Amino acid sequence: MDCKLVGPETLCFCTHRYKQHKTDLEAIPQQCPIDLPCQVTGCQCRAYLYVPLNGSQPIRCRCKHFADQHSAAPGFTCNTCSKCSGFHSCFTCACGQPAYAHDTVVETKQERLAQEKPVGQDIPYAAMGGLTGFSSLAEGYMRLDDSGIVGTSSQVSSLRRPEEDDMAFFERRYQERMKMEKAAKWKGKAPLPSATKPS
């Protein structure tokens, strides 16, 4: 699952945005993973690395310092304390896995098509990253569609009624999900047996 699709304003570990990294490549590199170095003068970042947020707050390392208090150079050592051997956060993603178990992956359209992953419509600006529509801003498990041309779009279109527009479809799906959650909640609250003693 793509837990997070990166867009032009998404921050890197080095605190610079995706659009400030080298995204317009003349030729696609053959080595994997594809590194997108930061183009800001003096920045030591060699490859774009997404750092998740906890709501709107940055995540902390196990040394209790934020990512921006660590070096952007490989190894990501802490600039504030000497006990930290490198940035390592125990923050858990919405997918249930810890942040350190995730990788930032840059893929070409051909690679995603070969893996049958969703791809968006072609865009003229490479620094748009994975953003192809409003729903691609949501985290992986919350995306109701793939905003792309392959992947689960056939599953979504089979759920959509012919007369429904996007808003009506998503509202209906939301209401269905809320009913299911409510039913599951009530199912878990079975009536307790009576505590009165027989006379």
Side-chain angles (χ1 to χ4, degrees):
M1 173 191 340
D2 297 327
C3 290
K4 180 72 174 174
L5 298 178
V6 172
E9 298 295 323
T10 309
L11 292 176
C12 174
F13 189 88
C14 70
T15 69
H16 297 116
R17 301 186 185 287
Y18 179 75
K19 67 182 180 182
Q20 294 173 298
H21 288 70
K22 185 172 178 59
T23 56
D24 293 328
L25 305 170
E26 291 180 21
I28 303 296
Q30 295 302 313
Q31 98 282 359
C32 286
I34 299 172
D35 293 335
L36 303 176
C38 188
Q39 294 180 312
V40 175
T41 306
C43 185
Q44 299 176 341
C45 177
R46 293 187 188 165
Y48 180 87
L49 178 65
Y50 172 73
V51 180
L53 296 174
N54 186 8
S56 63
Q57 300 294 315
I59 62 172
R60 293 180 185 264
C61 176
R62 60 183 161 202
C63 72
K64 307 294 185 218
H65 295 112
F66 293 111
D68 63 355
Q69 294 173 303
H70 288 71
S71 170
F76 308 113
T77 56
C78 186
N79 297 328
T80 310
C81 68
S82 58
K83 64 179 180 179
C84 180
S85 59
F87 187 83
H88 181 91
S89 177
C90 295
F91 170 77
T92 303
C93 172
C95 73
Q97 296 296 316
Y100 61 81
H102 288 73
D103 290 319
T104 301
V105 179
V106 178
E107 298 172 311
T108 64
K109 182 177 182 178
Q110 292 75 20
E111 289 172 332
R112 289 186 68 81
L113 287 170
Q115 297 171 36
E116 296 185 1
K117 291 182 177 179
V119 296
Q121 306 301 325
D122 289 337
I123 50 176
Y125 184 51
M128 284 301 292
L131 299 185
T132 57
F134 282 117
S135 65
S136 61
L137 294 170
E139 293 186 20
Y141 78 102
M142 295 185 343
R143 267 182 245 122
L144 292 174
D145 74 340
D146 53 26
S147 295
I149 57 175
V150 298
T152 59
S153 58
S154 59
Q155 296 167 346
V156 170
S157 59
S158 69
L159 298 173
R160 183 172 287 174
R161 296 177 183 153
E163 71 281 356
E164 278 184 322
D165 64 356
D166 285 345
M167 284 304 292
F169 169 71
F170 290 124
E171 177 63 24
R172 181 174 58 83
R173 295 286 294 158
Y174 173 76
Q175 294 298 335
E176 289 172 358
R177 189 171 59 205
M178 295 309 293
K179 283 182 187 175
M180 286 177 29
E181 288 176 6
K182 196 178 221 182
K185 185 178 176 184
W186 280 104
K187 191 176 184 181
K189 289 185 176 180
L192 297 172
S194 175
T196 59
K197 294 180 181 177
S199 40

